[in-house]
């Protein structure tokens, strides 16, 4: 089996790096690590990474998924062949945010979100809410990922010239507003979309 040039690893749980490095070394010629602090950098050194990137931690209570913008910028700059994340609750949340950030970067677009995601998950500041309590879009394109399409949200999204909806629920109200719709799991569709748009 031929190996990828570079595989990167990141985990919110330092104990999962051994498992990630094991997989990464099978898939890639070179393994790079992204860690949250210098203690983690020391802990992963025995696994032999080509390079270790230490993320800047703003405070001890920082959520892992809040690193999405920093990691997305790093990935965009370095172009790794693959990124492996630990399959933890925070790792999955980070993967979702990374997908959105990378998709936006490919489209040269801004990222916004629904109020429940912003407030419930603390993903973004209030200025990025789309809907009755936030931003009213006037964009050329509004690509919705997993948005149900409730009226409170669509008050903000309906001003876009073209609405493209991706949702796994074929009966989601968003499809009543969408110019184009795709029924599918965003965790599968978005990586494929990023791959196609990056060509």
């Amino acid at each position: 089996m031929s190996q990828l040039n570079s595989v990167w690893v990141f985990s919110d749980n330092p104990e999962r790096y051994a498992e990630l490095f094991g997989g990464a070394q099978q898939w890639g010629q070179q393994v790079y690590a992204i860690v949250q602090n210098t203690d983690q950098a020391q802990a992963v050194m025995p696994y032999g990474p080509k390079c270790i990137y230490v993320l800047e931690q703003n405070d001890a209570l920082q959520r892992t998924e809040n690193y999405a913008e920093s990691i997305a910028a790093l990935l965009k700059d370095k172009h790794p062949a693959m990124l492996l994340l630990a399959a933890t609750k925070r790792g999955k949340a980070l993967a979702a945010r990374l997908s959105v950030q990378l998709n936006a970067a490919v489209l040269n677009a801004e990222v916004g979100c629904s109020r429940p995601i912003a407030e419930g998950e603390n993903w973004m500041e209030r200025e990025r809410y789309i809907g009755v309590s936030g931003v009213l879009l006037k964009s050329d394109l509004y690509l919705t990922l997993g948005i149900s399409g409730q009226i409170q949200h669509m008050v903000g999204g309906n001003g876009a010239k073209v609405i493209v909806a991706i949702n796994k629920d074929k009966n989601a109200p968003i499809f009543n507003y969408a110019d184009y719709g795709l029924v599918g799991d965003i965790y599968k569709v978005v990586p494929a979309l990023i791959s196609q748009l990056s060509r």
Side-chain angles (χ1 to χ4, degrees):
M1 173 176 87
S2 64
Q3 288 188 309
L4 301 169
N5 183 40
S6 65
V7 176
W8 292 43
V9 297
F10 176 80
S11 178
D12 61 311
N13 179 349
E15 295 172 6
R16 301 292 295 272
Y17 274 107
E19 172 186 1
L20 290 172
F21 270 92
Q25 288 164 345
Q26 288 180 351
W27 285 95
Q29 296 172 8
Q30 300 173 336
V31 180
Y32 294 75
I34 305 170
V35 297
Q36 297 178 68
N37 55 51
T38 54
D39 289 342
Q40 287 182 8
Q42 292 295 323
V44 301
M45 276 195 187
Y47 302 123
K50 167 98 173 152
C51 187
I52 300 171
Y53 293 90
V54 180
L55 299 171
E56 187 175 320
Q57 189 172 16
N58 294 332
D59 63 60
L61 299 176
Q62 180 165 340
R63 289 184 173 193
T64 300
E65 54 270 29
N66 291 341
Y67 288 120
E69 288 182 16
S70 299
I71 294 174
L74 186 60
L75 298 179
K76 187 177 176 188
D77 182 51
K78 303 295 182 184
H79 305 286
M82 179 186 290
L83 171 66
L84 297 178
L85 300 169
T88 62
K89 181 179 178 181
R90 293 276 179 225
K92 291 175 184 177
L94 174 63
R97 282 191 69 180
L98 273 172
S99 291
V100 170
Q101 291 291 336
L102 293 172
N103 197 40
V106 168
L107 294 170
N108 195 23
E110 291 291 323
V111 177
C113 66
S114 64
R115 184 175 177 175
I117 290 294
E119 288 184 354
E121 300 294 327
N122 296 317
W123 269 30
M124 295 182 189
E125 60 277 2
R126 183 175 181 85
E127 293 77 27
R128 292 194 179 257
Y129 292 179
I130 297 169
V132 94
S133 59
V135 175
L136 303 178
L137 296 178
K138 300 288 183 205
S139 60
D140 291 333
L141 172 68
Y142 179 32
L143 174 62
T144 70
L145 304 173
I147 295 292
S148 66
Q150 297 302 317
I151 190 69
Q152 298 89 340
H153 182 81
M154 292 315 299
V155 164
N158 220 16
K161 291 179 185 172
V162 176
I163 299 173
V164 177
I166 302 171
N167 194 302
K168 64 182 176 183
D169 178 3
K170 68 180 181 184
N171 297 315
I174 189 67
F175 293 118
N176 296 326
Y177 298 94
D179 298 291
Y180 302 95
L182 175 64
V183 177
D185 184 340
I186 62 172
Y187 295 103
K188 295 177 181 172
V189 172
V190 172
L193 185 61
I194 290 169
S195 175
Q196 290 300 311
L197 293 172
S198 296
R199 292 181 180 194

